[in-house]
Amino acid sequence: MDFRTISPQTTEELLEAIKQNQGKHFRFGAGYTDLIPELEMQMENGLIVINLAKLKDSNFTSIFLSEDGIRIGALTTMTDVLSNKHLQKFPVLIEAVESFASVQIRSVATVGGNLCTASPAGDVSCALVALGAVSEILIANGQIRTVPLTEFFTGVKTTVLKKNELLRSVLIPHQKSAERILSGFIKIGNRNSMEIALASLAYHITTDKNGIITSAGTAVGSVAETIRYTESACEFLLGKNMDQLSEEDKETFADNVLKYANPISDIRASAWYRHQVLWNISKSIL
Amino acid sequence: METAQSKISFTINGKKVERRVRSSMLLIDFIRNELKLKGTKPGCLGGECGACTVLVDGVAVNSCLYLVINVDGKSVTTVEGLSGEEQSLDVVQLSMVEHGAVQCGFCTPGMVMAIKSFKSQCDHNHHTPDREEIKKNLEGNICRCTGYVKIIDAVEALF
């Protein structure tokens, strides 16, 4: 593995590095837990790595409350997420991070890296999609553009990011105040630790004091080319009473989740299994 | 401007090191090949097994997935930093010995460093972990000999 590096410390240096290298082959490195194994497997000739590990810009490195929601910098680590007090009200996110890799990897792997790797199995990405988060993308000219995460992934390992852009942060918009929250992350794998999901379901559902569902966000992982927001399943739940869902309602919800699944058979599981297990876990959450 | 070499300055096991290194060099290669500290083990070299675990500013990381240029200005501890000729074994190592938590020994340095990091964190939060939490915190370290029971016993006895 051999590459050259640029280690910007300020946003100005970062933007300059991006502009200077538009004609060259470069990639960003943050936590390196995906990039190093990938490059060890297959080195890319003439690669320049823009090393983000030394960047000192709190927009990238912090988690903070703002008027419009909670903003998570792309360079915050999984461990930072677990210890942040504002994020504890999103069990879906906390459970996704806890299910992710190992403590050694959680200490260095970044939220932005999980999103930009754009794996269909990205645990944290799946949770953020369920929460209706929005990506905030820094363009080399210094401007910011925003893209909802539901539109961020364009295929296996591809995103809407252009060569002169990088992910700066994600915003979890403020949620309606809720009486009750049903929120969690279900990851199906062959073992409990260090697992890549065979299928996963992220859900964050809120009700008012009468049990009426006021908001619903569910997303699925490892069952399609990208993580998918299961919009019709969410719409189906809105306005229903959480405590009075019939067996038929629960099955209709699961059927709706399955509309977004287009799984493949691979070394880890068959398409048939992924279908079945996704239907079962979808029904089980209600 | 991009560089193929970088100058770094950091401390390892309390000693200051200043070197010019290849920018893409891994921390494990620097530790084993440049500093000749062979206690840090190369296992899977992909972040799966934890044999190469070291502490960076007190936190356990896989040295096979860490660029040495990114320890610039930081403090690194390897298993050699826990004990020496004048210093007896660290409490983690003593507990491992007492509980028979070592068989072939290949995973042991990484295991010790992961436990060291976990213990410091628990001590910092005045927290006594249960067995489930101990297991959860060792999920990044693979041992093919012991079946883990004695390792978990050794960690439990630290609290």
Side-chain angles (χ1 to χ4, degrees):
Chain A
M1 194 179 66
D2 194 18
F3 49 79
R4 290 167 171 260
T5 58
I6 308 174
S7 299
Q9 301 211 7
T10 65
T11 311
E12 291 68 37
E13 288 172 9
L14 169 65
L15 296 177
E16 195 54 34
I18 297 172
K19 276 188 253 177
Q20 292 291 325
N21 288 286
Q22 285 301 300
K24 297 181 186 166
H25 176 43
F26 72 87
R27 296 183 65 175
F28 294 106
Y32 291 91
T33 55
D34 276 321
L35 187 62
I36 289 175
E38 198 187 319
L39 295 177
E40 290 279 22
M41 202 96 80
Q42 190 172 19
M43 191 51 217
E44 297 166 8
N45 283 337
L47 178 67
I48 296 167
V49 171
I50 299 184
N51 175 31
L52 301 172
K54 293 173 191 281
L55 185 66
K56 293 179 182 67
D57 176 343
S58 60
N59 287 312
F60 278 91
T61 57
S62 307
I63 299 169
F64 48 92
L65 265 181
S66 66
E67 276 179 14
D68 39 2
I70 298 174
R71 189 165 271 109
I72 305 175
L75 293 176
T76 55
T77 65
M78 299 302 174
T79 306
D80 294 336
V81 170
L82 286 180
S83 61
N84 184 275
K85 65 177 192 293
H86 303 307
L87 295 175
Q88 303 306 312
K89 62 180 176 184
F90 303 119
V92 59
L93 182 61
I94 299 298
E95 288 178 19
V97 176
E98 281 175 343
S99 78
F100 175 90
S102 64
V103 64
Q104 285 95 327
I105 290 179
R106 287 194 292 274
S107 294
V108 290
T110 63
V111 172
N114 196 261
L115 287 163
C116 295
T117 293
S119 162
D123 299 319
V124 178
S125 304
C126 192
L128 288 167
V129 170
L131 286 169
V134 177
S135 68
E136 299 178 323
I137 297 166
L138 180 63
I139 311 170
N141 64 12
Q143 288 181 332
I144 296 283
R145 72 174 177 117
T146 59
V147 177
L149 284 187
T150 49
E151 296 161 24
F152 184 77
F153 307 107
T154 53
V156 177
K157 303 211 162 187
T158 57
T159 69
V160 297
L161 290 167
K162 299 193 183 83
K163 195 171 181 182
N164 65 341
E165 298 178 332
L166 87 163
L167 183 67
R168 188 198 66 175
S169 44
V170 282
L171 178 79
I172 304 175
H174 282 310
Q175 320 263 316
K176 286 178 204 154
S177 64
E179 191 67 25
R180 226 163 77 201
I181 293 176
L182 181 70
S183 178
F185 183 74
I186 300 176
K187 179 171 175 176
I188 302 295
N190 290 319
R191 52 184 180 179
N192 288 331
S193 297
M194 297 296 287
E195 182 58 314
I196 298 169
L198 305 176
S200 58
L201 176 72
Y203 58 96
H204 189 82
I205 300 164
T206 60
T207 76
D208 67 12
K209 62 182 188 312
N210 300 318
I212 303 297
I213 296 171
T214 48
S215 75
T218 55
V220 291
S222 293
V223 291
E225 304 77 54
T226 66
I227 287 159
R228 286 213 172 133
Y229 183 70
T230 57
E231 192 172 356
S232 72
C234 300
E235 280 170 3
F236 172 76
L237 290 179
L238 287 179
K240 293 201 164 46
N241 190 318
M242 177 82 97
D243 304 315
Q244 292 169 10
L245 291 171
S246 65
E247 201 65 8
E248 200 186 336
D249 286 338
K250 293 176 187 178
E251 291 182 359
T252 308
F253 169 75
D255 289 342
N256 270 288
V257 171
L258 234 55
K259 282 186 195 167
Y260 297 85
N262 179 28
I264 55 165
S265 292
D266 65 12
I267 192 166
R268 294 184 296 114
S270 66
W272 177 85
Y273 177 77
R274 289 182 155 115
H275 249 282
Q276 297 296 316
V277 81
L278 182 63
W279 194 83
N280 287 337
I281 58 178
S282 300
K283 195 181 158 196
S284 79
I285 64 168
L286 297 175
Chain B
M1 194 57 198
E2 77 264 16
T3 53
Q5 295 229 316
S6 308
K7 190 164 174 266
I8 55 165
S9 163
F10 68 105
T11 64
I12 184 154
N13 302 333
K15 286 183 200 136
K16 190 154 190 185
V17 175
E18 280 188 7
R19 293 282 173 96
R20 279 195 81 76
V21 292
R22 197 160 47 77
S23 299
S24 55
M25 181 182 271
L26 297 173
L27 179 57
I28 187 172
D29 293 333
F30 186 80
I31 290 170
R32 287 181 56 85
N33 302 339
E34 302 283 318
L35 300 178
K36 309 290 182 198
L37 295 170
K38 305 284 187 179
T40 302
K41 299 301 178 200
C44 70
L45 297 175
E48 300 272 346
C49 79
C52 69
T53 302
V54 300
L55 308 184
V56 173
D57 287 346
V59 175
V61 303
N62 294 311
S63 61
C64 73
L65 295 183
Y66 211 102
L67 294 184
V68 70
I69 57 171
N70 286 335
V71 297
D72 185 39
K74 294 183 174 161
S75 161
V76 177
T77 311
T78 68
V79 72
E80 291 89 346
L82 297 185
S83 57
E85 278 176 25
E86 290 168 13
Q87 190 186 353
S88 69
L89 293 177
D90 184 83
V91 286
V92 173
Q93 293 167 307
L94 285 171
S95 190
M96 298 274 285
V97 172
E98 272 169 33
H99 289 83
V102 179
Q103 280 185 236
C104 92
F106 193 85
C107 76
T108 309
M111 201 67 85
V112 166
M113 299 317 283
I115 296 167
K116 183 79 188 158
S117 169
F118 177 55
K119 172 146 174 54
S120 314
Q121 198 190 347
C122 290
D123 289 349
H124 179 76
N125 296 325
H126 307 291
H127 176 66
T128 304
D130 59 26
R131 283 182 82 86
E132 280 309 307
E133 278 177 84
I134 294 169
K135 281 188 201 171
K136 177 79 185 151
N137 274 275
L138 294 182
E139 65 189 337
N141 292 78
I142 287 178
C143 171
R144 300 287 82 169
C145 304
T146 63
Y148 300 102
V149 174
K150 292 183 176 185
I151 297 175
I152 297 163
D153 289 346
V155 182
E156 205 174 21
L158 291 170
F159 295 94

